[in-house]
Amino acid sequence: AQTVTQSQPEMSVQEAETVTLSCTYDTSESDYYLFWYKQPPSRQMILVIRQEAYKQQNATENRFSVNFQKAAKSFSLKISDSQLGDAAMYFCAYRGPIAGGTSYGKLTFGQGTILTVHP
Amino acid sequence: NAGVTQTPKFRILKIGQSMTLQCTQDMNHNYMYWYRQDPGMGLKLIYYSVGAGITDKGEVPNGYNVSRSTTEDFPLRLELAAPSQTSVYFCASRETTATEAFFGQGTRLTVV
């Protein structure tokens, strides 16, 4: 079974600074997807960024980027120019391949990291 | 376009009571999922469905039942509620070949 570990229960950052959230995972599959979700106090699960394992290039979405190290099974999220609206719980998640296998798109989540942004 | 709609948003149950959490999606997605999120923790899969009439257990199915009679609806039934079922419940759906799943707003359930 796959596991996802977020070793930082809480992180804080000053507004306009950069912060990196860590995530490691364990899997025997070679084809998979990794995600970072943001959960603000409203509870809504918001997809921040995703990475396909077969792509060597790290994904980027505006101020959000990832450092995907497949051999090390590491998937960190970097938030640049942090804003007050970035304050939330962040979850790292894993899913298996779309085609074949028995994953059926099921997501395995890490424990989450609470991010505080100081003005 | 409503997306994934969950009702109710909040509910307090007494120990031993039963209830159904409703989930409906209007995107014609075949895949649907129920997750629970305990305080300060990540989401865990309860049940999932790959299409109408087909359901299967996830990581934490004990104490729950599901049905999928239509593509749109995927209700989660709690029988004999217990304090351990106090949690936030999320329903999600996904188009068959898509990478991304869409989540509902969640239902906060407290069992006292």
Side-chain angles (χ1 to χ4, degrees), chain A residues 33 35 37 39 42-45 47 50 52 89 91 95 98 102 104-112, chain B residues 9-10 31 33 35 37 40-43 45 48 50 88 90 94 96-101 103 105-106 108:
Chain A
Y33 298 81
F35 305 87
Y37 281 90
Q39 187 182 47
S42 66
R43 289 204 310 259
Q44 182 67 43
M45 293 292 287
L47 179 64
R50 68 181 181 211
E52 293 87 345
M89 174 83 91
F91 291 102
R95 62 153 288 182
I98 290 177
T102 58
Y104 300 116
K106 295 176 283 185
L107 291 167
T108 300
F109 287 85
Q111 304 91 321
Chain B
K9 288 186 171 50
F10 303 93
Y31 288 78
Y33 312 86
Y35 294 89
Q37 181 184 16
M41 301 294 290
L43 283 68
L45 183 66
Y48 67 99
V50 301
V88 178
F90 286 96
R94 183 177 66 84
T96 303
T97 58
T99 303
E100 180 180 350
F103 283 82
Q105 293 272 28
R108 180 179 294 278

Side-chain angles (χ1 to χ4, degrees), chain A residues 14-34:
Chain A
Q14 291 293 132
E15 197 174 6
E17 298 291 306
T18 295
V19 64
T20 298
L21 308 185
S22 300
C23 173
T24 58
Y25 60 95
D26 188 28
T27 183
S28 59
E29 295 173 316
S30 59
D31 182 24
Y32 51 87
Y33 298 81
L34 296 164

Side-chain angles (χ1 to χ4, degrees), chain B residues 7 17 27 30 35 60 66 69 71 76 79 91 100 105 107:
Chain B
T7 56
Q17 287 185 322
M27 298 172 282
N30 283 326
Y35 294 89
V60 288
V66 293
S69 57
T71 299
L76 178 71
E79 304 282 1
C91 179
E100 180 180 350
Q105 293 272 28
T107 295

Side-chain angles (χ1 to χ4, degrees), chain B residues 4-112:
Chain B
V4 180
T5 302
Q6 292 183 236
T7 56
K9 288 186 171 50
F10 303 93
R11 182 72 184 267
I12 298 175
L13 272 184
K14 293 185 178 179
I15 295 172
Q17 287 185 322
S18 301
M19 77 164 294
T20 299
L21 281 65
Q22 301 291 345
C23 175
T24 187
Q25 51 92 7
D26 60 0
M27 298 172 282
N28 201 35
H29 289 171
N30 283 326
Y31 288 78
M32 295 188 75
Y33 312 86
W34 275 106
Y35 294 89
R36 61 176 286 174
Q37 181 184 16
D38 296 334
M41 301 294 290
L43 283 68
K44 293 186 177 181
L45 183 66
I46 306 171
Y47 271 95
Y48 67 99
S49 169
V50 301
I54 307 170
T55 63
D56 205 350
K57 296 177 181 179
E59 185 182 0
V60 288
N62 291 342
Y64 307 94
N65 280 300
V66 293
S67 60
R68 184 94 183 270
S69 57
T70 67
T71 299
E72 294 78 20
D73 300 308
F74 190 39
L76 178 71
R77 178 80 177 164
L78 280 72
E79 304 282 1
L80 297 174
S84 61
Q85 293 177 304
T86 293
S87 192
V88 178
Y89 291 83
F90 286 96
C91 179
S93 74
R94 183 177 66 84
E95 194 272 330
T96 303
T97 58
T99 303
E100 180 180 350
F102 292 85
F103 283 82
Q105 293 272 28
T107 295
R108 180 179 294 278
L109 175 68
T110 303
V111 182
V112 296

Side-chain angles (χ1 to χ4, degrees), chain A residues 41-87:
Chain A
S42 66
R43 289 204 310 259
Q44 182 67 43
M45 293 292 287
I46 302 167
L47 179 64
V48 175
I49 197 166
R50 68 181 181 211
Q51 174 79 44
E52 293 87 345
Y54 65 86
K55 290 186 177 179
Q56 292 188 338
Q57 186 173 4
N58 290 325
T60 299
E61 290 285 344
N62 300 314
R63 299 182 294 107
F64 299 87
S65 61
V66 299
N67 183 4
F68 173 51
Q69 301 291 327
K70 190 173 184 179
K73 295 180 181 174
S74 170
F75 182 60
S76 61
L77 174 69
K78 185 171 81 171
I79 306 175
S80 304
D81 186 25
S82 297
Q83 301 175 359
L84 295 177
D86 294 334

